[in-house]
Amino acid sequence: MEPATLRRTMGRFTTGVAVVTTVSGDGPHGMTVNSLTSVSLDPPLILVSLTTGARTTQAVADSGGFAVSILSCRQEPIAMRFARRGEDHFAGLPLEYGQHRVPVVPDALAHVECRTEHEIPAGDHVLFLGRVVATCDREGEPLAFHGGRFLDVVGHGHDVPPWFF
Ligand SMILES: Cc1cc2nc3c(=O)[nH]c(=O)nc-3n(C[C@H](O)[C@H](O)[C@H](O)COP(=O)(O)O)c2cc1C
């Protein structure tokens, strides 16, 4: 299986876009992710898959916790900023702090603060299962990612259906 083939194939699966942030000994770190998954409601667990060796991956491992900011449709520049390897992702950005002193992205649709429950090496990534310790959210349009491009989500306009699971 060619990596480019798998990337293209999985790129057919549309996702939201989020930024994982944390604070380690050398300050705040953060990276754009679309591997965010809701895992369990009771206990409350979410999962992110972070590239082995990335600065933010190391910082999340060192700090024992992380926050996730779910981006709105107006935050494509934030998604691009936190995806540039080797740059200071926080340069000139006003920091907002979550309840547990981890910086979060201002004006995001939601903030989820976690402490790491399990850290699982998986191929060229590390899976971080986070126990959710605080959340906040607001109404708004999300930023989506499909086929390597950012896009807006167009709703079907009907009422919110009851959940089936
Ligand atoms: C839309 C989008 C989604 C991404 N999703 C992930 C992801 O889920 N996991 C990951 O490790 N990198 C992901 N990346 C790449 C990282 O954001 C990028 O490599 C980042 O600069 C790494 O952070 P660092 O500079 O702290 O090492 C994604 C990039 C984009 C643009």
Side-chain angles (χ1 to χ4, degrees):
M1 172 56 60
E2 284 296 319
T5 304
L6 184 55
R7 182 189 284 265
R8 189 189 65 240
T9 304
M10 292 310 295
R12 310 287 177 197
F13 186 60
T14 306
T15 66
V17 184
V19 173
V20 168
T21 48
T22 194
V23 178
S24 65
D26 61 347
H29 289 273
M31 73 152 90
T32 301
V33 301
N34 69 340
S35 60
L36 174 64
T37 304
S38 176
V39 173
S40 166
L41 298 179
D42 186 16
L45 297 171
I46 65 168
L47 176 115
V48 289
S49 174
L50 307 184
T51 316
T52 305
R55 296 172 301 177
T56 306
T57 311
Q58 192 56 53
V60 170
D62 291 346
S63 70
F66 60 94
V68 173
S69 299
I70 297 174
L71 301 186
S72 82
C73 62
R74 295 167 182 264
Q75 294 183 305
E76 182 176 329
I78 292 283
M80 295 300 294
R81 164 194 277 266
F82 279 92
R84 287 193 193 101
R85 284 207 128 165
E87 291 195 15
D88 177 2
H89 294 154
F90 290 90
L93 193 72
L95 289 184
E96 185 176 296
Y97 281 87
Q99 293 178 28
H100 296 81
R101 305 306 300 162
V102 173
V104 290
V105 175
D107 303 322
L109 289 186
H111 296 143
V112 184
E113 293 178 59
C114 300
R115 91 181 137 63
T116 302
E117 187 112 329
H118 296 291
E119 184 181 324
I120 307 153
D124 53 12
H125 280 58
V126 183
L127 308 181
F128 290 92
L129 259 180
R131 163 79 69 138
V132 178
V133 293
T135 65
C136 66
D137 69 287
R138 68 173 178 86
E139 294 290 333
E141 301 303 320
L143 181 64
F145 192 67
H146 175 91
R149 294 188 180 87
F150 295 104
L151 58 151
D152 293 333
V153 173
V154 179
H156 287 189
H158 41 59
D159 293 339
V160 177
W163 287 102
F164 299 110
F165 60 89

